Amino acid sequence: MRQKKNNKSQVFGKWFAHSKSIETLNTRKLAKHISEHGSVYTQDVVFGVLEKFRSCLVEMLLESKRVKISSREFLKKAEFVISVGFSLFTKDFYYIF
């Protein structure tokens, strides 16, 4: 749980659930996982598609485009949007999901 501490926010002082990651998969591990789900494609083919997706995603974000990744129509809650921003404080790019 995390409490919002921004006093300008409408939800200041309220508590929200926060997810905790137990593992970070690299592209190879993700490709292996996908290929083990009854896919007709080998791990190398899945890896190639994921790498192409990654390079195109970075290209679109650098062109200031938002990328909407969605699932089937009936699974609207599985959608998320990725965009990129720039922090003036840290002078770093950050991704918004």
Side-chain angles (χ1 to χ4, degrees):
M1 298 289 288
R2 284 195 179 168
Q3 186 178 29
K4 293 293 181 178
K5 302 202 185 241
N6 180 356
N7 59 3
K8 294 179 183 178
S9 173
Q10 292 179 347
V11 293
F12 172 72
K14 295 190 177 187
W15 290 85
F16 294 89
H18 175 72
S19 64
K20 182 177 179 179
S21 298
I22 58 171
E23 182 181 7
T24 301
L25 297 177
N26 63 21
T27 310
R28 283 271 177 212
K29 287 182 180 178
L30 180 59
K32 183 175 189 274
H33 177 82
I34 291 170
S35 68
E36 291 172 347
H37 277 274
S39 174
V40 297
Y41 301 106
T42 63
Q43 180 181 342
D44 290 340
V45 172
V46 175
F47 178 78
V49 171
L50 290 173
E51 277 298 300
K52 188 64 174 176
F53 172 79
R54 183 199 54 79
S55 66
C56 289
L57 177 63
V58 169
E59 178 186 345
M60 295 295 104
L61 293 174
L62 291 174
E63 292 176 3
S64 298
K65 296 179 180 175
R66 294 174 61 178
V67 178
K68 181 178 180 180
I69 301 171
S70 59
S71 187
R72 292 189 172 98
E73 193 61 33
F74 63 90
L75 293 175
K76 291 249 181 206
K77 292 186 180 185
E79 294 179 350
F80 61 95
V81 175
I82 301 173
S83 59
V84 68
F86 184 76
S87 171
L88 295 176
F89 299 107
T90 62
K91 298 195 170 41
D92 287 326
F93 285 98
Y94 59 90
Y95 297 97
I96 304 167
F97 296 97

